[in-house]
Amino acid sequence: MHLSDTENTKIIEIADDIDREDLFGNLDSNLRMIEEATKSEIIQRGSSLVIKGGDTELASGIVHELSAILEKGETLDEQKVRYAIGLKAEGKSYAGSNVGGDIICFTTRGRPIRPKTIGQKAYVKSMKKRDVVFAIGPAGTGKTYIAVAMAVNALRNKEVEKIILARPAVEAGENLGFLPGDLQEKVDPYLRPLYDALYDILGRDKALALKEKEVIEVVPLAYMRGRTLDSSFIILDEAQNSTREQMKMFLTRMGFGSRIVVTGDVTQIDLPKGSRSGLIEATHILRDVPGIDFCYLKDADVVRNEMVKRIINAYDRFDKERQAARHDRPDTSQQEPEAGK
C-alpha cells in the first residue's frame, strides 16, 4: 500500500491482492465507519482512496490496519472494524497483536472460535497456563462463551473427563420448590445461557448426548456442595451472585487434574440487600495466591451488537455522575437545627 500526501489530503493506493469489497465493506460501510471516527471524507478513485479533512493520518492508518487484517486471512465484520478503529485511535494495532491468530476450537459446523479482542486473547492465555482463572467484566465480553469453548477443547483433547457448568439461581433464592415441573425443569431457566453456549459449539444433539452420559453437567451452584471433582473443567457463571460461603464452597470442589474458571460482572449483583458478593471478596482474598489469574475485560472487549457497548457506557457515565453528586453533597447530619425548629 502506497501513501502520497498533499495538504490535509492523503492518497492511498490499494494493493492488487486486496479485495476492494472486503476492505470497503458492504455498501462501503467500513469506509463510512472510518469517516465517522476521523471526521474525514473518503473518496474512491479507481484503485486509490482519497482521504480529505479531519484526522487524515488516523484514517489512513486505519485503512492500512484493515488491509493488514485481510492479508492475515481474516474477514472483516462491523465489530472487528469498530474494534480495530478504537485500537488505532489509542495507538495500538489489532493486526500487530495477532488477536485472531489462536483458534480455541471448531464448532460442530466447522466454524473456528477464536479471541476477538486483546482482552479475550489475554483471557485465553490465562486459561491455558493457570488452573484457576477469574474473568470479570461487563455483559457481551465473551466471558462465558470463551470459557465453554476452552472446556470443550480440553474435553476433545482428553485433558479432562468432564465439564461442569454451574450458576447461582438467585432469582429464586436457591429455593425452586414453587416452580412447576421436576427438578431439572425448575432450574433450567436459570441455566439457559450455559446450554446456549454448549448447543452453539457442540450442536444440540451432541451436547444432550454428553449430558445424558453425565460427561457434561449443568447444575445450580447450590448443588455443588459436598462434591470433589477430579479431571474436570469447572465453570462458575454469574459468580457475582454467589455469596462468600458459596464461593469458598465452589472453589474447594477442585480435585486432581481439574481446572476452574469463574466469570462474573460486578456491576450486576442481584443478591439480597445486605449480602456481600463472593466474587468481590474473592478478588481481595485470592489476589496474591500463586496459580490464580484475574482477567478484567472492559467495554472495549464487548463483541455483541454495538448498541450493547453504548448502553454499558451510558450506565457507567450515569453511575459516575451519581457518585460524584453524592460526594459533592454537603453533610448536614452534624449541623445544629435552626432556631425555632
Side-chain angles (χ1 to χ4, degrees), residues 316-333:
D316 286 345
R317 286 194 302 270
F318 177 81
D319 289 340
K320 289 177 182 177
E321 290 169 1
R322 184 168 59 179
Q323 289 174 3
R326 286 176 179 172
H327 180 74
D328 294 338
R329 189 179 301 143
D331 183 4
T332 59
S333 61

Side-chain angles (χ1 to χ4, degrees), residues 3 14 57 82 143 264 322 328:
L3 299 177
I14 308 299
E57 189 70 33
R82 288 190 183 279
K143 304 182 297 294
R322 184 168 59 179
D328 294 338

Side-chain angles (χ1 to χ4, degrees), residues 24-174:
F24 300 162
N26 184 36
L27 300 177
D28 297 338
S29 57
N30 295 347
L31 299 184
R32 301 293 82 81
M33 282 189 275
I34 298 172
E35 287 180 329
E36 179 185 0
T38 62
K39 310 302 180 187
S40 301
E41 180 185 7
I42 303 177
I43 303 167
Q44 297 180 48
R45 288 182 181 169
S47 62
S48 304
L49 288 178
V50 179
I51 304 175
K52 296 182 177 181
D55 192 338
T56 55
E57 189 70 33
L58 176 58
S60 63
I62 293 169
V63 173
H64 185 276
E65 181 77 4
L66 298 185
S67 298
I69 293 171
L70 290 173
E71 287 172 348
K72 284 179 171 287
E74 294 188 42
T75 58
L76 294 175
D77 55 31
E78 181 181 353
Q79 181 274 326
K80 189 179 294 183
V81 172
R82 288 190 183 279
Y83 183 61
I85 289 172
L87 284 179
K88 202 66 181 176
E90 297 175 1
K92 302 174 184 177
S93 169
Y94 177 97
S97 301
N98 196 30
V99 171
D102 295 328
I103 295 176
I104 301 170
C105 68
F106 290 88
T107 68
T108 188
R109 298 182 178 180
R111 178 175 63 85
I113 298 175
R114 62 181 94 208
K116 294 184 177 181
T117 69
I118 292 175
Q120 288 186 354
K121 183 178 177 67
Y123 177 30
V124 170
K125 183 178 180 181
S126 287
M127 284 189 282
K128 287 181 177 180
K129 70 178 183 177
R130 300 295 187 203
D131 290 333
V132 179
V133 175
F134 286 78
I136 301 170
T141 50
K143 304 182 297 294
T144 303
Y145 190 84
I146 291 176
V148 172
M150 289 290 289
V152 169
N153 187 58
L155 183 67
R156 287 173 173 170
N157 292 337
K158 302 187 185 306
E159 298 168 17
V160 297
E161 297 174 3
K162 295 187 70 169
I163 296 175
I164 313 291
L165 308 176
R167 215 176 197 231
V170 292
E171 294 87 345
E174 298 284 8

Side-chain angles (χ1 to χ4, degrees), residues 1-13 48-51 56 60:
M1 181 177 294
H2 173 68
L3 299 177
S4 62
D5 302 342
T6 59
E7 186 176 355
N8 206 29
T9 299
K10 284 188 177 292
I11 301 175
I12 304 176
E13 295 290 337
S48 304
L49 288 178
V50 179
I51 304 175
T56 55
S60 63

Side-chain angles (χ1 to χ4, degrees), residues 134-137 143 166-174 190 193 220-222 225 236-250 262-273 275-282:
F134 286 78
I136 301 170
K143 304 182 297 294
R167 215 176 197 231
V170 292
E171 294 87 345
E174 298 284 8
Y190 305 101
L221 174 59
R225 193 175 302 277
L236 174 58
D237 189 37
E238 296 289 339
Q240 76 276 5
N241 290 327
S242 66
T243 64
R244 181 183 190 275
E245 294 74 20
Q246 287 175 328
M247 178 62 75
K248 182 180 178 182
M249 176 273 292
F250 172 79
V262 178
T263 71
D265 178 0
V266 295
T267 69
Q268 296 192 38
I269 297 173
D270 301 315
L271 289 168
K273 190 174 181 180
S275 297
R276 184 165 173 80
S277 169
L279 178 59
I280 291 178
E281 283 215 341

Side-chain angles (χ1 to χ4, degrees), residues 193-326:
L194 299 175
Y195 283 115
D196 289 343
L198 282 173
Y199 294 164
D200 188 55
I201 296 169
L202 286 170
R204 182 183 176 86
D205 291 343
K206 179 67 172 178
L208 291 177
L210 291 173
K211 185 172 178 291
E212 184 70 23
K213 296 176 182 177
E214 297 188 345
V215 174
I216 295 178
E217 293 185 45
V218 185
V219 297
L221 174 59
Y223 302 134
M224 295 284 288
R225 193 175 302 277
R227 303 182 66 183
T228 299
L229 301 167
D230 294 329
S231 191
S232 301
F233 199 114
I234 315 163
I235 300 171
L236 174 58
D237 189 37
E238 296 289 339
Q240 76 276 5
N241 290 327
S242 66
T243 64
R244 181 183 190 275
E245 294 74 20
Q246 287 175 328
M247 178 62 75
K248 182 180 178 182
M249 176 273 292
F250 172 79
L251 293 173
T252 54
R253 299 309 91 201
M254 185 178 187
F256 292 105
S258 289
R259 294 149 70 180
I260 281 180
V261 177
V262 178
T263 71
D265 178 0
V266 295
T267 69
Q268 296 192 38
I269 297 173
D270 301 315
L271 289 168
K273 190 174 181 180
S275 297
R276 184 165 173 80
S277 169
L279 178 59
I280 291 178
E281 283 215 341
T283 62
H284 300 294
I285 296 171
L286 304 175
R287 61 187 174 188
D288 296 323
V289 175
I292 297 179
D293 266 5
F294 287 88
C295 300
Y296 293 91
L297 299 168
K298 303 176 182 178
D299 63 313
D301 297 300
V302 172
V303 293
R304 291 183 187 168
N305 188 298
E306 176 67 16
M307 288 304 301
V308 173
K309 188 182 298 184
R310 295 177 186 176
I311 290 168
I312 291 170
N313 287 335
Y315 271 93
D316 286 345
R317 286 194 302 270
F318 177 81
D319 289 340
K320 289 177 182 177
E321 290 169 1
R322 184 168 59 179
Q323 289 174 3
R326 286 176 179 172

